[in-house]
Amino acid sequence: MNKKGKGRAGRKGVLPGFGLSLGFTVFYLSVLVLLPLSTIFINTAGMGWEKFFKTIFDPRVVASYKLSFGSSLIAGGINTVFGILLAWVLVRYQFPGKKLIDGLVDLPFALPTAVAGIALTTLYVPDGWIGRFLGFKVAFTPLGVIIALTFIGLPFVVRMVQPVLQNLEPELEEASASLGAGRAQTFWRVIFPELLPAALGGFALAFARSLGEYGSVVFISGNMPMKTEITPLLIMTKLEQYDYAGATAIAAVMLVISFILLLVINLLQWWSNRRYLEN
């Protein structure tokens, strides 16, 4: 066998070749992602522009947009800050019960969202275990929605940041300290640039999960129109009323806005990663 034949044989792996792998990937994404999403726009297309705009700009629907997107952004921001802090503690310190706390981080993944919603509502109602000690109302307010979304989104940030912290060389911090930098300077100049792409990725995942969340929010929100009604609940309401076109119209708006926001977040993540590599 010539050297050329040996080279080709050496490049062969256990997995199928590029053509077969790409074909399976495209087929898989088409059946599970693109085809279902395309039906949203197909069902919406039969409404006509007048009815479409009347549906998506209804005051009740607009109020649900503001609550869903606003609370998701706020919850994502909270999760980013405290997710980095929690990941830092789990990676940098040794203490009794560390493995237990590390396991509890993934609890929102395993816990049914309806159970989480009932538990949070029980805690934060005015006569609940936590609500009775607060001087303000949490359950059945937008604040309750933010708490529910924070609960279900925290693991995304922690699990994105944790591996980066584990691979971060302690020598970088020691070198920064030896050059006279304080703890705050070391964090912002040395550690944070390393964490930023992962933190943005965790924020994007938490934000995306929060936008579509239903079970954990529907109980604690109270579902009051124009106040605490989230967009996924409105979609479910229209489906129960057999208004499939109206439901898909609202879903299409959510899909487009979510895609744009996630694209912006991914561009910021790419920009921060590129800027760090250039420096």
Side-chain angles (χ1 to χ4, degrees):
M1 185 182 292
N2 56 25
K3 293 182 179 180
K4 187 176 181 181
K6 288 181 180 179
R8 288 178 179 175
R11 287 195 296 269
K12 289 182 179 179
V14 178
L15 296 176
F18 173 74
L20 181 60
S21 301
L22 178 63
F24 176 77
T25 301
V26 172
F27 174 77
Y28 183 83
L29 290 175
S30 298
V31 172
L32 294 183
V33 180
L34 298 179
L35 186 61
L37 292 180
S38 64
T39 58
I40 294 177
F41 296 98
I42 293 172
N43 288 333
T44 305
M47 293 181 65
W49 288 110
E50 184 179 354
K51 187 177 180 181
F52 173 75
F53 287 116
K54 184 178 180 181
T55 300
I56 65 172
F57 289 118
D58 181 79
R60 183 177 174 184
V61 178
V62 172
S64 73
Y65 294 151
K66 293 178 180 178
L67 178 63
S68 292
F69 284 100
S71 57
S72 296
L73 286 170
I74 294 172
I78 294 172
N79 280 328
T80 301
V81 174
F82 289 98
I84 292 174
L85 178 61
L86 181 54
W88 179 274
V89 171
L90 290 174
V91 171
R92 292 303 178 93
Y93 301 104
Q94 297 294 330
F95 53 90
K98 176 181 175 178
K99 291 185 177 179
L100 176 62
I101 295 177
D102 190 48
L104 288 176
V105 170
D106 294 325
L107 184 62
F109 286 151
L111 192 67
T113 56
V115 176
I118 294 171
L120 291 172
T121 305
T122 304
L123 288 174
Y124 288 102
V125 289
D127 58 345
W129 292 359
I130 297 177
R132 69 180 64 182
F133 300 109
L134 300 176
F136 51 90
K137 191 176 181 180
V138 174
F140 317 130
T141 67
L143 179 58
V145 176
I146 294 172
I147 289 176
L149 297 181
T150 303
F151 174 81
I152 57 98
L154 180 64
F156 291 100
V157 179
V158 176
R159 295 312 183 207
M160 286 290 288
V161 173
Q162 204 169 5
V164 179
L165 281 173
Q166 289 172 342
N167 295 327
L168 192 62
E169 297 293 337
E171 287 80 6
L172 294 175
E173 300 172 50
E174 294 172 1
S176 176
S178 66
L179 293 173
R183 292 184 178 181
Q185 278 185 311
T186 300
F187 178 79
W188 289 112
R189 298 284 183 89
V190 178
I191 299 174
F192 186 71
E194 292 268 5
L195 300 182
L196 185 57
L200 286 173
F203 172 83
L205 291 174
F207 172 75
R209 169 68 189 277
S210 298
L211 277 180
E213 182 59 25
Y214 177 80
S216 63
V217 179
V218 70
F219 294 101
I220 197 171
S221 67
N223 309 319
M224 292 179 284
M226 306 295 293
K227 293 182 180 180
T228 61
E229 193 173 42
I230 57 174
T231 305
L233 177 64
L234 267 182
I235 295 174
M236 289 295 299
T237 301
K238 288 190 175 293
L239 288 175
E240 291 172 354
Q241 297 171 350
Y242 302 102
D243 183 8
Y244 299 117
T248 55
I250 299 173
V253 173
M254 290 284 289
L255 178 62
V256 171
I257 298 177
S258 301
F259 177 79
I260 293 172
L261 289 175
L262 289 175
L263 178 63
V264 171
I265 294 170
N266 285 327
L267 288 174
L268 287 173
Q269 186 180 14
W270 170 81
W271 173 79
S272 64
N273 210 356
R274 181 181 178 185
R275 184 180 178 187
Y276 173 74
L277 292 175
E278 288 177 350
N279 294 333

